[in-house]
Amino acid sequence: SPYEAFQNAIKIIELENRLGIFHELAIQRWLIDHALEVVRIANEFYTIGYIPILILSSVLLYRFKPERFFFFKLTFLLGLGFALICFSVFPLAPPRLLSGFGFVDTQQIFGSNLFNRKTVLSFYNPYAAMPSLHFGWALLVGMMAYGFKHRAFKFLGVLYPSCMAFVVVTTGHHFFLDIVAGGIVVGLAYTLVKGLPIWSRAV
């Protein structure tokens, strides 16, 4: 429910304050005041840097690294299962909906060519901020890219999830703890998938 989602958001802010990591608001305000063009780029990257990259990564892995695609696919599905449980148990309103705290919905205020279309919003759950699958899937793609020997892929493997973490905070879609949770969900799923051959042999 929206009420529970907003109450949980307040709990996250209180927890981050205790941990000394509640800096999302300061980061967003500074960027809006001093680097608005970066905010506009982040607005678009939030959309075009998510599903299209997942699809492209899937196709490339399936075509050129089918054995790695196996881990990608199973990790994606298992991570999604974990995330759906989290969304049900802990609905969470994103920072962008907490205008009373000073957060800004950058895609609504400064515009986005893609995100605000009805066809996109019809598939969007505004209270599924914990964990951040935007970061989680970006981390998964980064892990797959880092596994290649070429330095360019390793660089992209680090750069892409780092950029996504920056983007979800800039646009007000996620707290830092959402990002951490996204990493945990995908990391746990990947670890379990990696252990499948060992478990199957044991059985």
Side-chain angles (χ1 to χ4, degrees), residues 131-132 135-137 139 143 177-189:
S132 170
F135 175 75
W137 298 154
L139 178 62
M143 291 164 63
L177 288 180
D178 301 338
I179 296 172
V180 173
I184 292 174
V185 163
V186 170
L188 176 60

Side-chain angles (χ1 to χ4, degrees), residues 123-140:
F123 294 98
Y124 182 72
N125 177 7
Y127 306 121
M130 172 76 81
S132 170
L133 287 184
H134 263 72
F135 175 75
W137 298 154
L139 178 62
L140 177 58

Side-chain angles (χ1 to χ4, degrees), residues 2-175:
Y3 175 80
E4 186 178 0
F6 281 98
Q7 290 300 309
N8 287 337
I10 294 174
K11 293 177 182 177
I12 290 294
I13 290 175
E14 291 174 347
L15 177 58
E16 288 196 352
N17 266 319
R18 289 197 294 271
L19 295 174
I21 61 172
F22 181 58
H23 304 301
E24 297 92 333
L25 181 58
I27 292 172
Q28 191 186 64
R29 282 180 174 175
W30 189 93
L31 288 169
I32 291 173
D33 292 339
H34 300 93
L36 187 56
E37 194 58 37
V38 173
V39 176
R40 296 185 188 278
I41 294 173
N43 284 344
E44 304 301 340
F45 188 86
Y46 182 82
T47 303
I48 63 176
Y50 184 42
I51 299 298
I53 298 298
L54 278 176
I55 295 174
L56 178 62
S57 300
S58 300
V59 171
L60 292 176
L61 285 172
Y62 181 80
R63 174 65 179 83
F64 298 106
K65 291 288 184 179
E67 73 284 353
R68 195 165 296 173
F69 174 76
F70 169 80
F71 289 103
F72 180 89
K73 176 182 66 175
L74 291 187
T75 301
F76 179 91
L77 293 173
L78 187 58
L80 178 59
F82 290 154
L84 290 174
I85 294 173
C86 294
F87 297 154
S88 300
V89 174
F90 192 78
L92 178 65
R96 68 184 184 83
L97 297 182
L98 305 176
S99 57
F101 285 85
F103 285 104
V104 172
D105 186 340
T106 62
Q107 291 181 313
Q108 184 68 34
I109 300 300
F110 302 111
S112 172
N113 293 324
L114 297 170
F115 184 79
N116 290 321
R117 292 180 179 176
K118 292 182 179 180
T119 52
V120 174
L121 292 176
S122 62
F123 294 98
Y124 182 72
N125 177 7
Y127 306 121
M130 172 76 81
S132 170
L133 287 184
H134 263 72
F135 175 75
W137 298 154
L139 178 62
L140 177 58
V141 171
M143 291 164 63
M144 295 296 104
Y146 196 85
F148 287 88
K149 294 181 179 180
H150 200 286
R151 288 185 179 180
F153 285 104
K154 293 186 180 298
F155 176 74
L156 290 174
V158 175
L159 179 64
Y160 177 52
S162 299
C163 287
M164 188 59 77
F166 172 80
V167 164
V168 298
V169 170
T170 298
T171 57
H173 279 87
H174 290 286
F175 295 100

